[in-house]
Amino acid sequence: MNLLDLIVQPVDQDRLTPAQQRFNDLLAQIERLSGQIQRLEAWSDKHRYAHIQALRESVQLSQAHRKSLLLFVHERLQTADFTDRQQRMARGPVRGLMAHLAATNDPQVQALVDLYVSEEDEQEAAEEQAEAAQRLRERIEEALGQPIEKPSQYQTPEEMMAAGMRQWQRQQQADEERKTAKRAARKAQKQAQKKSAAADKGEVPAAQTRELDAKSAIRTIFRQLASALHPDREPDEQERLRKTGLMSEVNAAYEKNDLTTLLRLQMQVTQVNPQNKGGTARMADDKLIAMSLLLTEQVAALEDDLDQLENRLSRELCVPVRADADEATLSQSLQRIQADQRHSADSLAADLRRIQNEAELKRWLKEQWQLAKATSA
């Protein structure tokens, strides 16, 4: 049964009250968010395995090509005629290949690391990294509008970028905490004023009344369902099993204050009129307001679930994943990154074929050295 069947319909051409409209809006939000989560999970189940497998195969192929490049360049550096300058220029591409392959823990790669990375090379590489980090620092500080804290601690572009991100996140968190504190202070002030006014009149505060009404409403629905579904009162074995299963759902929903699930089950068990001429349509506004408190909590929980799902899939699939994007757009994103990874592997294979010629090898090494310098600038 659809949750939207619980939406309050106007009776005899009467307009909906604000409480009824709010109740309907919250139900619609819950239905929308639940649908987005279900669709995103279904799309992920359909594409996730094949996509991750395709990326893994492309990455493995790229790494195999890098290793072949590294071994070939090393061999040629020992046998071909290279000037001292060309030898020095070759160290950059060689170090780059070794850096990409470091995580593989390949014995052949490690042996070359021990051979090529001398103290002089390490010092040269460290200086280049430090210079690139300082250039990046200037751009980050311009974006942040404040200096990086303790910049001397960060000697590589990666460290500097991570420090900049942490500082930006702290800025955002501090801003959000200030805003939250202001909102909480305003809310506390309003509540104090309302409590004071209610106390002067000898009344129970409206918010407290609504909270009690919400708990009362969910407890009433639970008791009605428990009475209707009590398996011990059912003589038929099949029906007893069905009611036992439904009662398990009821208990779980009640423990979580999951009003929408309880309302769905109530509709399923009692067969509420689809046009809702009874049920929620006959509820007084104060009851609907109370129930809307629970629905508001469910909306917030679903928004959090959806945000976590989007972030997890974005990390796993290596593409931005958003529930408001259509499936075709999401699938095209997967296809693009797969194509990019295949292109990377194909480019490495083309480089390997190209450098079989000694003149092309020297040109390739110079191009790689220039590219590395331009990237770090």
Side-chain angles (χ1 to χ4, degrees):
M1 292 187 177
N2 196 311
L3 181 61
L4 297 182
D5 290 336
L6 295 169
I7 281 180
V8 178
Q9 303 290 343
V11 178
D12 299 330
Q13 306 301 317
D14 291 340
R15 297 181 63 181
L16 294 177
T17 66
Q20 291 173 328
Q21 187 61 57
R22 173 64 174 162
F23 181 82
N24 287 355
D25 290 343
L26 289 167
L27 287 178
Q29 287 185 61
I30 291 171
E31 186 70 16
R32 175 180 59 80
L33 290 166
S34 299
Q36 286 181 322
I37 290 172
Q38 291 170 4
R39 287 191 296 273
L40 202 52
E41 287 177 336
W43 173 81
S44 171
D45 291 343
K46 182 178 179 181
H47 297 284
R48 180 177 176 276
Y49 176 80
H51 174 68
I52 292 176
Q53 186 66 22
L55 291 185
R56 182 180 293 115
E57 291 173 358
S58 294
V59 168
Q60 289 173 345
L61 185 58
S62 293
Q63 292 293 72
H65 291 328
R66 287 190 180 98
K67 180 179 176 181
S68 297
L69 278 166
L70 175 62
L71 296 177
F72 181 82
V73 170
H74 166 66
E75 180 187 356
R76 297 302 293 160
L77 286 175
Q78 311 311 307
T79 59
D81 182 22
F82 285 86
T83 65
D84 290 343
R85 183 173 184 274
Q86 288 171 332
Q87 289 275 356
R88 288 195 299 273
M89 287 174 54
R91 291 195 194 102
V94 167
R95 280 198 298 261
L97 289 168
M98 289 190 296
H100 276 291
L101 293 165
T104 63
N105 294 318
D106 186 286
Q108 288 180 291
V109 174
Q110 188 57 50
L112 293 181
V113 169
D114 296 338
L115 178 64
Y116 276 91
V117 182
S118 65
E119 291 184 5
E120 180 183 345
D121 289 335
E122 288 180 345
Q123 180 63 29
E124 180 184 342
E127 289 173 359
E128 291 177 356
Q129 290 281 294
E131 290 174 4
Q134 290 308 308
R135 289 192 292 270
L136 179 60
R137 170 192 170 188
E138 294 172 1
R139 296 199 292 269
I140 292 174
E141 290 180 341
E142 183 179 354
L144 288 176
Q146 60 180 244
I148 291 283
E149 299 171 1
K150 300 179 181 178
S152 60
Q153 294 181 357
Y154 314 116
Q155 298 300 312
T156 68
E158 292 77 14
E159 291 174 352
M160 191 66 72
M161 177 60 75
M165 287 299 298
R166 289 194 298 270
Q167 193 161 324
W168 178 81
Q169 289 170 351
R170 288 196 296 271
Q171 278 185 350
Q172 298 301 306
Q173 184 178 356
D175 289 343
E176 186 58 35
E177 287 175 354
R178 283 193 292 270
K179 292 177 183 177
T180 301
K182 288 181 180 179
R183 288 195 295 267
R186 288 195 297 267
K187 184 177 180 180
Q189 185 179 13
K190 290 180 180 179
Q191 289 177 342
Q193 291 171 346
K194 289 180 180 179
K195 286 181 180 180
S196 176
D200 292 341
K201 298 178 182 179
E203 298 174 349
V204 178
Q208 185 178 345
T209 301
R210 287 196 295 272
E211 184 177 352
L212 292 172
D213 285 346
K215 292 179 179 178
S216 175
I218 202 168
R219 192 181 304 114
T220 298
I221 296 171
F222 171 75
R223 287 173 177 170
Q224 291 172 347
L225 287 169
S227 177
L229 294 173
H230 202 298
D232 294 343
R233 300 173 185 171
E234 181 55 56
D236 182 76
E237 179 64 22
Q238 291 292 341
E239 187 64 10
R240 188 184 306 116
L241 290 175
R242 186 184 75 86
K243 287 186 174 181
T244 299
L246 288 172
M247 196 61 216
S248 296
E249 293 184 49
V250 169
N251 287 327
Y254 183 62
E255 288 178 7
K256 295 187 294 185
N257 277 341
D258 186 350
L259 177 61
T260 54
T261 297
L262 289 174
L263 289 173
R264 277 197 188 99
L265 290 167
Q266 185 184 50
M267 183 169 59
Q268 183 177 340
V269 170
T270 63
Q271 295 298 305
V272 173
N273 188 313
Q275 297 302 316
N276 213 5
K277 300 301 182 184
T280 52
R282 288 207 303 259
M283 284 188 184
D285 277 3
D286 60 341
K287 295 295 182 184
L288 288 174
I289 291 172
M291 295 176 77
S292 292
L293 291 176
L294 297 174
L295 296 183
T296 300
E297 292 177 4
Q298 287 187 238
V299 167
L302 285 170
E303 288 175 338
D304 185 55
D305 289 344
L306 181 58
D307 184 60
Q308 291 185 32
L309 177 61
E310 289 175 334
N311 290 333
R312 177 175 64 80
L313 291 179
S314 296
R315 290 193 305 271
E316 291 179 354
L317 303 179
C318 303
V319 296
V321 175
R322 293 292 175 265
D324 54 5
D326 60 79
E327 290 190 12
T329 300
L330 291 173
S331 299
Q332 287 171 4
S333 297
L334 299 186
Q335 292 167 6
R336 280 195 296 271
I337 191 172
Q338 289 176 26
D340 289 343
Q341 290 299 317
R342 288 194 300 270
H343 176 71
S344 177
D346 292 343
S347 296
L348 290 166
D351 285 344
L352 188 56
R353 290 191 298 270
R354 173 189 171 188
I355 64 174
Q356 302 301 312
N357 176 281
E358 185 171 320
E360 287 297 324
L361 170 59
K362 292 178 179 180
R363 274 193 284 271
W364 181 82
L365 289 172
K366 183 176 181 180
E367 290 168 5
Q368 296 299 308
W369 178 78
Q370 291 173 336
L371 178 62
K373 295 289 284 185
T375 303
S376 64

mmCIF file with all atom_site columns, all heavy atoms in Angstrom, residues 198-216:
data_model
loop_
_atom_site.group_PDB
_atom_site.id
_atom_site.type_symbol
_atom_site.label_atom_id
_atom_site.label_alt_id
_atom_site.label_comp_id
_atom_site.label_asym_id
_atom_site.label_entity_id
_atom_site.label_seq_id
_atom_site.pdbx_PDB_ins_code
_atom_site.Cartn_x
_atom_site.Cartn_y
_atom_site.Cartn_z
_atom_site.occupancy
_atom_site.B_iso_or_equiv
_atom_site.pdbx_formal_charge
_atom_site.auth_seq_id
_atom_site.auth_comp_id
_atom_site.auth_asym_id
_atom_site.auth_atom_id
_atom_site.pdbx_PDB_model_num
ATOM 1   N N   . ALA A 1 198 ? 2.861  30.518 29.791 1.00 0.00 ? 198 ALA A N   1
ATOM 2   C CA  . ALA A 1 198 ? 1.957  29.416 30.132 1.00 0.00 ? 198 ALA A CA  1
ATOM 3   C C   . ALA A 1 198 ? 1.849  29.245 31.644 1.00 0.00 ? 198 ALA A C   1
ATOM 4   O O   . ALA A 1 198 ? 0.781  28.964 32.183 1.00 0.00 ? 198 ALA A O   1
ATOM 5   C CB  . ALA A 1 198 ? 2.454  28.124 29.493 1.00 0.00 ? 198 ALA A CB  1
ATOM 6   N N   . ALA A 1 199 ? 3.001  29.414 32.320 1.00 0.00 ? 199 ALA A N   1
ATOM 7   C CA  . ALA A 1 199 ? 2.997  29.275 33.776 1.00 0.00 ? 199 ALA A CA  1
ATOM 8   C C   . ALA A 1 199 ? 2.128  30.350 34.417 1.00 0.00 ? 199 ALA A C   1
ATOM 9   O O   . ALA A 1 199 ? 1.409  30.087 35.379 1.00 0.00 ? 199 ALA A O   1
ATOM 10  C CB  . ALA A 1 199 ? 4.425  29.355 34.313 1.00 0.00 ? 199 ALA A CB  1
ATOM 11  N N   . ASP A 1 200 ? 2.193  31.578 33.871 1.00 0.00 ? 200 ASP A N   1
ATOM 12  C CA  . ASP A 1 200 ? 1.371  32.667 34.412 1.00 0.00 ? 200 ASP A CA  1
ATOM 13  C C   . ASP A 1 200 ? -0.119 32.352 34.268 1.00 0.00 ? 200 ASP A C   1
ATOM 14  O O   . ASP A 1 200 ? -0.939 32.758 35.099 1.00 0.00 ? 200 ASP A O   1
ATOM 15  C CB  . ASP A 1 200 ? 1.695  33.973 33.683 1.00 0.00 ? 200 ASP A CB  1
ATOM 16  C CG  . ASP A 1 200 ? 3.103  34.458 34.012 1.00 0.00 ? 200 ASP A CG  1
ATOM 17  O OD1 . ASP A 1 200 ? 3.655  33.998 35.037 1.00 0.00 ? 200 ASP A OD1 1
ATOM 18  O OD2 . ASP A 1 200 ? 3.640  35.269 33.236 1.00 0.00 ? 200 ASP A OD2 1
ATOM 19  N N   . LYS A 1 201 ? -0.442 31.603 33.178 1.00 0.00 ? 201 LYS A N   1
ATOM 20  C CA  . LYS A 1 201 ? -1.856 31.263 32.930 1.00 0.00 ? 201 LYS A CA  1
ATOM 21  C C   . LYS A 1 201 ? -2.240 29.908 33.526 1.00 0.00 ? 201 LYS A C   1
ATOM 22  O O   . LYS A 1 201 ? -3.383 29.490 33.418 1.00 0.00 ? 201 LYS A O   1
ATOM 23  C CB  . LYS A 1 201 ? -2.129 31.232 31.427 1.00 0.00 ? 201 LYS A CB  1
ATOM 24  C CG  . LYS A 1 201 ? -1.912 32.566 30.728 1.00 0.00 ? 201 LYS A CG  1
ATOM 25  C CD  . LYS A 1 201 ? -2.150 32.422 29.235 1.00 0.00 ? 201 LYS A CD  1
ATOM 26  C CE  . LYS A 1 201 ? -1.900 33.726 28.503 1.00 0.00 ? 201 LYS A CE  1
ATOM 27  N NZ  . LYS A 1 201 ? -2.111 33.578 27.034 1.00 0.00 ? 201 LYS A NZ  1
ATOM 28  N N   . GLY A 1 202 ? -1.250 29.211 34.116 1.00 0.00 ? 202 GLY A N   1
ATOM 29  C CA  . GLY A 1 202 ? -1.538 27.891 34.668 1.00 0.00 ? 202 GLY A CA  1
ATOM 30  C C   . GLY A 1 202 ? -1.759 26.847 33.595 1.00 0.00 ? 202 GLY A C   1
ATOM 31  O O   . GLY A 1 202 ? -2.497 25.877 33.813 1.00 0.00 ? 202 GLY A O   1
ATOM 32  N N   . GLU A 1 203 ? -1.107 27.001 32.400 1.00 0.00 ? 203 GLU A N   1
ATOM 33  C CA  . GLU A 1 203 ? -1.310 26.080 31.283 1.00 0.00 ? 203 GLU A CA  1
ATOM 34  C C   . GLU A 1 203 ? -0.076 25.197 31.092 1.00 0.00 ? 203 GLU A C   1
ATOM 35  O O   . GLU A 1 203 ? 1.022  25.540 31.497 1.00 0.00 ? 203 GLU A O   1
ATOM 36  C CB  . GLU A 1 203 ? -1.554 26.862 29.986 1.00 0.00 ? 203 GLU A CB  1
ATOM 37  C CG  . GLU A 1 203 ? -2.801 27.738 30.024 1.00 0.00 ? 203 GLU A CG  1
ATOM 38  C CD  . GLU A 1 203 ? -2.908 28.601 28.776 1.00 0.00 ? 203 GLU A CD  1
ATOM 39  O OE1 . GLU A 1 203 ? -1.912 28.657 28.021 1.00 0.00 ? 203 GLU A OE1 1
ATOM 40  O OE2 . GLU A 1 203 ? -3.963 29.214 28.569 1.00 0.00 ? 203 GLU A OE2 1
ATOM 41  N N   . VAL A 1 204 ? -0.297 24.030 30.408 1.00 0.00 ? 204 VAL A N   1
ATOM 42  C CA  . VAL A 1 204 ? 0.818  23.170 29.982 1.00 0.00 ? 204 VAL A CA  1
ATOM 43  C C   . VAL A 1 204 ? 1.334  23.712 28.657 1.00 0.00 ? 204 VAL A C   1
ATOM 44  O O   . VAL A 1 204 ? 0.544  24.006 27.763 1.00 0.00 ? 204 VAL A O   1
ATOM 45  C CB  . VAL A 1 204 ? 0.349  21.710 29.804 1.00 0.00 ? 204 VAL A CB  1
ATOM 46  C CG1 . VAL A 1 204 ? 1.497  20.841 29.304 1.00 0.00 ? 204 VAL A CG1 1
ATOM 47  C CG2 . VAL A 1 204 ? -0.210 21.176 31.112 1.00 0.00 ? 204 VAL A CG2 1
ATOM 48  N N   . PRO A 1 205 ? 2.637  23.902 28.469 1.00 0.00 ? 205 PRO A N   1
ATOM 49  C CA  . PRO A 1 205 ? 3.171  24.432 27.209 1.00 0.00 ? 205 PRO A CA  1
ATOM 50  C C   . PRO A 1 205 ? 2.700  23.617 26.012 1.00 0.00 ? 205 PRO A C   1
ATOM 51  O O   . PRO A 1 205 ? 2.578  22.397 26.069 1.00 0.00 ? 205 PRO A O   1
ATOM 52  C CB  . PRO A 1 205 ? 4.695  24.310 27.392 1.00 0.00 ? 205 PRO A CB  1
ATOM 53  C CG  . PRO A 1 205 ? 4.901  24.298 28.872 1.00 0.00 ? 205 PRO A CG  1
ATOM 54  C CD  . PRO A 1 205 ? 3.705  23.624 29.456 1.00 0.00 ? 205 PRO A CD  1
ATOM 55  N N   . ALA A 1 206 ? 2.456  24.332 24.890 1.00 0.00 ? 206 ALA A N   1
ATOM 56  C CA  . ALA A 1 206 ? 1.914  23.680 23.699 1.00 0.00 ? 206 ALA A CA  1
ATOM 57  C C   . ALA A 1 206 ? 2.855  22.609 23.161 1.00 0.00 ? 206 ALA A C   1
ATOM 58  O O   . ALA A 1 206 ? 2.428  21.537 22.734 1.00 0.00 ? 206 ALA A O   1
ATOM 59  C CB  . ALA A 1 206 ? 1.635  24.722 22.620 1.00 0.00 ? 206 ALA A CB  1
ATOM 60  N N   . ALA A 1 207 ? 4.163  22.904 23.166 1.00 0.00 ? 207 ALA A N   1
ATOM 61  C CA  . ALA A 1 207 ? 5.128  21.929 22.644 1.00 0.00 ? 207 ALA A CA  1
ATOM 62  C C   . ALA A 1 207 ? 5.088  20.634 23.453 1.00 0.00 ? 207 ALA A C   1
ATOM 63  O O   . ALA A 1 207 ? 5.147  19.541 22.908 1.00 0.00 ? 207 ALA A O   1
ATOM 64  C CB  . ALA A 1 207 ? 6.532  22.520 22.657 1.00 0.00 ? 207 ALA A CB  1
ATOM 65  N N   . GLN A 1 208 ? 4.992  20.778 24.789 1.00 0.00 ? 208 GLN A N   1
ATOM 66  C CA  . GLN A 1 208 ? 4.928  19.592 25.641 1.00 0.00 ? 208 GLN A CA  1
ATOM 67  C C   . GLN A 1 208 ? 3.640  18.822 25.390 1.00 0.00 ? 208 GLN A C   1
ATOM 68  O O   . GLN A 1 208 ? 3.633  17.590 25.353 1.00 0.00 ? 208 GLN A O   1
ATOM 69  C CB  . GLN A 1 208 ? 5.027  20.016 27.105 1.00 0.00 ? 208 GLN A CB  1
ATOM 70  C CG  . GLN A 1 208 ? 5.081  18.831 28.076 1.00 0.00 ? 208 GLN A CG  1
ATOM 71  C CD  . GLN A 1 208 ? 5.239  19.297 29.512 1.00 0.00 ? 208 GLN A CD  1
ATOM 72  O OE1 . GLN A 1 208 ? 5.581  20.446 29.769 1.00 0.00 ? 208 GLN A OE1 1
ATOM 73  N NE2 . GLN A 1 208 ? 4.975  18.403 30.444 1.00 0.00 ? 208 GLN A NE2 1
ATOM 74  N N   . THR A 1 209 ? 2.557  19.558 25.176 1.00 0.00 ? 209 THR A N   1
ATOM 75  C CA  . THR A 1 209 ? 1.276  18.910 24.888 1.00 0.00 ? 209 THR A CA  1
ATOM 76  C C   . THR A 1 209 ? 1.346  18.125 23.581 1.00 0.00 ? 209 THR A C   1
ATOM 77  O O   . THR A 1 209 ? 0.886  16.985 23.490 1.00 0.00 ? 209 THR A O   1
ATOM 78  C CB  . THR A 1 209 ? 0.160  19.965 24.794 1.00 0.00 ? 209 THR A CB  1
ATOM 79  O OG1 . THR A 1 209 ? 0.080  20.669 26.024 1.00 0.00 ? 209 THR A OG1 1
ATOM 80  C CG2 . THR A 1 209 ? -1.179 19.301 24.492 1.00 0.00 ? 209 THR A CG2 1
ATOM 81  N N   . ARG A 1 210 ? 1.969  18.742 22.546 1.00 0.00 ? 210 ARG A N   1
ATOM 82  C CA  . ARG A 1 210 ? 2.070  18.062 21.256 1.00 0.00 ? 210 ARG A CA  1
ATOM 83  C C   . ARG A 1 210 ? 2.933  16.810 21.364 1.00 0.00 ? 210 ARG A C   1
ATOM 84  O O   . ARG A 1 210 ? 2.651  15.789 20.755 1.00 0.00 ? 210 ARG A O   1
ATOM 85  C CB  . ARG A 1 210 ? 2.639  19.022 20.208 1.00 0.00 ? 210 ARG A CB  1
ATOM 86  C CG  . ARG A 1 210 ? 1.657  20.088 19.759 1.00 0.00 ? 210 ARG A CG  1
ATOM 87  C CD  . ARG A 1 210 ? 2.120  20.748 18.478 1.00 0.00 ? 210 ARG A CD  1
ATOM 88  N NE  . ARG A 1 210 ? 3.363  21.490 18.644 1.00 0.00 ? 210 ARG A NE  1
ATOM 89  C CZ  . ARG A 1 210 ? 3.422  22.770 19.017 1.00 0.00 ? 210 ARG A CZ  1
ATOM 90  N NH1 . ARG A 1 210 ? 2.309  23.454 19.270 1.00 0.00 ? 210 ARG A NH1 1
ATOM 91  N NH2 . ARG A 1 210 ? 4.587  23.383 19.135 1.00 0.00 ? 210 ARG A NH2 1
ATOM 92  N N   . GLU A 1 211 ? 4.007  16.905 22.169 1.00 0.00 ? 211 GLU A N   1
ATOM 93  C CA  . GLU A 1 211 ? 4.873  15.735 22.332 1.00 0.00 ? 211 GLU A CA  1
ATOM 94  C C   . GLU A 1 211 ? 4.121  14.604 23.017 1.00 0.00 ? 211 GLU A C   1
ATOM 95  O O   . GLU A 1 211 ? 4.234  13.437 22.628 1.00 0.00 ? 211 GLU A O   1
ATOM 96  C CB  . GLU A 1 211 ? 6.101  16.126 23.143 1.00 0.00 ? 211 GLU A CB  1
ATOM 97  C CG  . GLU A 1 211 ? 7.111  14.996 23.273 1.00 0.00 ? 211 GLU A CG  1
ATOM 98  C CD  . GLU A 1 211 ? 8.365  15.416 24.011 1.00 0.00 ? 211 GLU A CD  1
ATOM 99  O OE1 . GLU A 1 211 ? 8.511  16.615 24.293 1.00 0.00 ? 211 GLU A OE1 1
ATOM 100 O OE2 . GLU A 1 211 ? 9.185  14.537 24.318 1.00 0.00 ? 211 GLU A OE2 1
ATOM 101 N N   . LEU A 1 212 ? 3.343  14.946 24.039 1.00 0.00 ? 212 LEU A N   1
ATOM 102 C CA  . LEU A 1 212 ? 2.541  13.933 24.725 1.00 0.00 ? 212 LEU A CA  1
ATOM 103 C C   . LEU A 1 212 ? 1.489  13.351 23.790 1.00 0.00 ? 212 LEU A C   1
ATOM 104 O O   . LEU A 1 212 ? 1.234  12.146 23.793 1.00 0.00 ? 212 LEU A O   1
ATOM 105 C CB  . LEU A 1 212 ? 1.876  14.555 25.962 1.00 0.00 ? 212 LEU A CB  1
ATOM 106 C CG  . LEU A 1 212 ? 2.825  14.960 27.103 1.00 0.00 ? 212 LEU A CG  1
ATOM 107 C CD1 . LEU A 1 212 ? 2.067  15.724 28.175 1.00 0.00 ? 212 LEU A CD1 1
ATOM 108 C CD2 . LEU A 1 212 ? 3.496  13.722 27.703 1.00 0.00 ? 212 LEU A CD2 1
ATOM 109 N N   . ASP A 1 213 ? 0.883  14.230 22.966 1.00 0.00 ? 213 ASP A N   1
ATOM 110 C CA  . ASP A 1 213 ? -0.123 13.764 22.014 1.00 0.00 ? 213 ASP A CA  1
ATOM 111 C C   . ASP A 1 213 ? 0.499  12.823 20.987 1.00 0.00 ? 213 ASP A C   1
ATOM 112 O O   . ASP A 1 213 ? -0.115 11.838 20.567 1.00 0.00 ? 213 ASP A O   1
ATOM 113 C CB  . ASP A 1 213 ? -0.766 14.955 21.298 1.00 0.00 ? 213 ASP A CB  1
ATOM 114 C CG  . ASP A 1 213 ? -1.758 15.697 22.193 1.00 0.00 ? 213 ASP A CG  1
ATOM 115 O OD1 . ASP A 1 213 ? -2.130 15.132 23.241 1.00 0.00 ? 213 ASP A OD1 1
ATOM 116 O OD2 . ASP A 1 213 ? -2.140 16.826 21.844 1.00 0.00 ? 213 ASP A OD2 1
ATOM 117 N N   . ALA A 1 214 ? 1.739  13.151 20.540 1.00 0.00 ? 214 ALA A N   1
ATOM 118 C CA  . ALA A 1 214 ? 2.417  12.301 19.561 1.00 0.00 ? 214 ALA A CA  1
ATOM 119 C C   . ALA A 1 214 ? 2.671  10.919 20.139 1.00 0.00 ? 214 ALA A C   1
ATOM 120 O O   . ALA A 1 214 ? 2.421  9.903  19.489 1.00 0.00 ? 214 ALA A O   1
ATOM 121 C CB  . ALA A 1 214 ? 3.727  12.945 19.130 1.00 0.00 ? 214 ALA A CB  1
ATOM 122 N N   . LYS A 1 215 ? 3.165  10.871 21.365 1.00 0.00 ? 215 LYS A N   1
ATOM 123 C CA  . LYS A 1 215 ? 3.413  9.584  22.010 1.00 0.00 ? 215 LYS A CA  1
ATOM 124 C C   . LYS A 1 215 ? 2.110  8.824  22.224 1.00 0.00 ? 215 LYS A C   1
ATOM 125 O O   . LYS A 1 215 ? 2.056  7.597  22.054 1.00 0.00 ? 215 LYS A O   1
ATOM 126 C CB  . LYS A 1 215 ? 4.121  9.800  23.346 1.00 0.00 ? 215 LYS A CB  1
ATOM 127 C CG  . LYS A 1 215 ? 5.547  10.325 23.214 1.00 0.00 ? 215 LYS A CG  1
ATOM 128 C CD  . LYS A 1 215 ? 6.185  10.539 24.568 1.00 0.00 ? 215 LYS A CD  1
ATOM 129 C CE  . LYS A 1 215 ? 7.626  11.046 24.423 1.00 0.00 ? 215 LYS A CE  1
ATOM 130 N NZ  . LYS A 1 215 ? 8.266  11.304 25.736 1.00 0.00 ? 215 LYS A NZ  1
ATOM 131 N N   . SER A 1 216 ? 1.077  9.565  22.580 1.00 0.00 ? 216 SER A N   1
ATOM 132 C CA  . SER A 1 216 ? -0.233 8.937  22.785 1.00 0.00 ? 216 SER A CA  1
ATOM 133 C C   . SER A 1 216 ? -0.780 8.368  21.479 1.00 0.00 ? 216 SER A C   1
ATOM 134 O O   . SER A 1 216 ? -1.322 7.263  21.448 1.00 0.00 ? 216 SER A O   1
ATOM 135 C CB  . SER A 1 216 ? -1.218 9.961  23.368 1.00 0.00 ? 216 SER A CB  1
ATOM 136 O OG  . SER A 1 216 ? -2.513 9.402  23.455 1.00 0.00 ? 216 SER A OG  1
#
